[in-house]
């Protein structure tokens, strides 16, 4: 409804944001996508009660095929595309496949909210500020199969940087409670406030885009859903999978050489399998859409 869009425009104007020069509210693809530097695709069909995941994928293939084609036709070829609408990984892959003239590496999906949730949980557990925690990783799908991994993460406690496992000294919690909390956090927020994450999701989008634009700090990485081609972690090619990445000059690179133990391997493969199944279902619809 255009009245909803008008309300969003009013709110943006009322923020008096110093970097905001103009807002164009439109439902026309040729206006919305023209000469874009960054596209943040937030809208998707939400899962309704009684809806099968297959139905959800079918509805979203239609949306993201259309948006991918519009990007291909109207946006700059250097556009950075960030997909937020769920199922974000597979929606992103659909858009990527529908925009063949834009480099695959320009597409990413948001797993930064999961990344920030993981940082927040570790910080809470140790009673430190969240910026004392670095190099957590979200592997895989932005779903409840995602693998929040802190086996390479560091935390600064009383001026000293140590591994998270060493600092927390509770392997059971890190391998069970912590992972489950991050995996289920979105559902917990919905249960608590009867609406999905809003402020934390918006903050994560800002973090994600800022890091694409300005790069990651030296010695730190972030989590981002990107095309799996050329990864060294045994994940099948042509999946949109969340990895640890560093970013420089608006280009991301996989963090290489992280040791993967059996526990991690199992979790990484499980979420890859879910993505493979989603992809197969989505591509059936894509061929006929």
């Amino acid at each position: 409804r255009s009245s909803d869009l008008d309300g969003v425009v009013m709110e943006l104007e009322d923020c008096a944001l110093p970097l905001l020069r103009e807002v164009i509210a439109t439902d026309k693809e040729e206006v919305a996508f023209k000469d874009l530097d960054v596209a943040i695709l937030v809208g998707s069909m939400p899962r309704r009660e009684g809806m099968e995941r297959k139905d959800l994928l079918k509805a979203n293939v239609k949306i993201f095929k259309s948006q991918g084609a519009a990007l291909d036709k109207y946006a700059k070829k250097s556009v950075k595309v960030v997909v937020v609408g769920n199922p974000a990984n597979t929606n992103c892959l659909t858009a990527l496949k529908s925009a063949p003239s834009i480099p695959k590496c320009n597409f990413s999906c948001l797993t930064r909210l999961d990344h920030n949730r993981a940082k927040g949980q570790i910080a809470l557990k140790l009673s430190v500020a969240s910026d004392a925690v670095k190099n957590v990783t979200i592997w895989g799908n932005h779903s409840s199969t995602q693998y929040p991994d802190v086996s390479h993460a560091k935390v600064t406690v009383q001026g000293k940087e140590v591994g998270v496992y060493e600092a927390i000294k509770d392997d059971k919690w890190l391998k069970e409670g912590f992972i489950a909390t991050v995996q289920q956090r979105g559902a917990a927020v919905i249960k608590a406030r009867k609406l999905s994450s809003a402020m934390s999701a918006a903050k994560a989008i800002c973090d994600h885009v800022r890091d694409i634009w300005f790069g990651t700090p030296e010695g730190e990485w972030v989590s981002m859903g990107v095309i799996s081609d050329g990864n060294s972690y045994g994940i099948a090619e042509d999946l949109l999978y969340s990895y640890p990445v560093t970013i420089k000059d608006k280009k991301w690179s996989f963090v290489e050489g992280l040791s993967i133990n059996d526990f991690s391997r199992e979790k990484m493969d499980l979420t890859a399998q879910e993505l493979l199944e989603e992809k197969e279902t989505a591509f059936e619809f894509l061929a006929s859409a």
Side-chain angles (χ1 to χ4, degrees):
R1 294 186 320 227
S2 64
S3 62
D4 291 347
L5 209 49
D6 292 341
V8 173
V9 172
M10 286 185 231
E11 285 237 83
L12 286 166
E13 290 169 349
D14 296 349
C15 286
L17 296 159
L19 297 177
L20 184 63
R21 295 289 179 267
E22 185 186 6
V23 181
I24 299 167
T26 182
D27 60 357
K28 294 181 174 58
E29 285 182 338
E30 64 272 21
V31 177
F33 289 90
K34 187 171 170 52
D35 293 335
L36 290 185
D37 291 298
V38 179
I40 302 168
L41 306 182
V42 180
S44 64
M45 165 78 80
R47 191 170 185 172
R48 299 202 172 94
E49 209 170 333
M51 194 186 232
E52 293 288 329
R53 194 166 181 85
K54 192 168 69 172
D55 300 327
L56 183 71
L57 285 164
K58 185 175 184 177
N60 281 299
V61 161
K62 197 174 167 189
I63 294 167
F64 285 86
K65 182 181 182 181
S66 168
Q67 295 198 332
L71 285 162
D72 205 54
K73 192 171 178 183
Y74 302 112
K76 293 179 182 175
K77 298 308 171 195
S78 58
V79 65
K80 303 297 185 186
V81 184
V82 182
V83 175
V84 178
N86 287 317
N89 299 58
T90 300
N91 287 346
C92 188
L93 191 62
T94 300
L96 179 158
K97 294 289 182 184
S98 307
S101 71
I102 296 168
K104 291 179 184 180
C105 59
N106 287 21
F107 287 81
S108 60
C109 80
L110 189 78
T111 56
R112 185 58 169 267
L113 179 51
D114 309 304
H115 181 99
N116 288 349
R117 285 165 172 164
K119 275 182 77 162
Q121 289 301 308
I122 297 299
L124 279 169
K125 186 80 168 171
L126 290 168
S127 301
V128 296
S130 59
D131 64 357
V133 184
K134 70 177 191 183
N135 297 350
V136 304
T137 300
I138 304 297
W139 299 98
N141 200 0
H142 174 62
S143 74
S144 59
T145 68
Q146 65 173 264
Y147 171 40
D149 177 15
V150 291
S151 53
H152 304 283
K154 305 281 187 198
V155 60
T156 303
V157 183
Q158 295 172 340
K160 189 183 171 205
E161 189 176 272
V162 292
V164 164
Y165 267 83
E166 187 189 335
I168 286 181
K169 296 182 176 65
D170 185 348
D171 290 15
K172 187 177 180 347
W173 180 77
L174 285 169
K175 288 183 170 179
E176 293 175 12
F178 162 72
I179 290 174
T181 297
V182 177
Q183 286 175 333
Q184 303 292 337
R185 189 67 161 188
V189 170
I190 291 172
K191 191 177 178 191
R193 67 180 219 113
K194 310 295 179 271
L195 292 164
S196 60
S197 305
M199 190 173 178
S200 58
K203 162 69 165 52
I205 295 165
C206 290
D207 290 347
H208 182 113
V209 174
R210 187 191 58 229
D211 285 343
I212 288 174
W213 219 249
F214 298 109
T216 46
E218 193 66 39
E220 291 189 34
W221 66 71
V222 293
S223 303
M224 203 177 268
V226 294
I227 195 73
S228 61
D229 299 4
N231 80 91
S232 61
Y233 292 105
I235 303 302
E237 305 248 314
D238 207 37
L239 286 180
L240 217 294
Y241 189 99
S242 180
Y243 290 92
V245 299
T246 55
I247 305 161
K248 190 176 182 184
D249 300 328
K250 298 190 179 71
K251 288 187 168 60
W252 59 264
S253 305
F254 295 119
V255 175
E256 300 287 5
L258 298 178
S259 58
I260 305 298
N261 60 27
D262 291 346
F263 178 83
S264 293
R265 181 80 267 157
E266 189 181 329
K267 292 267 190 282
M268 288 163 69
D269 289 347
L270 183 76
T271 190
Q273 184 56 39
E274 182 184 53
L275 281 170
L276 199 56
E277 288 164 13
E278 277 188 22
K279 174 189 160 179
E280 284 167 1
T281 306
F283 279 26
E284 281 170 35
F285 296 133
L286 191 58
S288 59

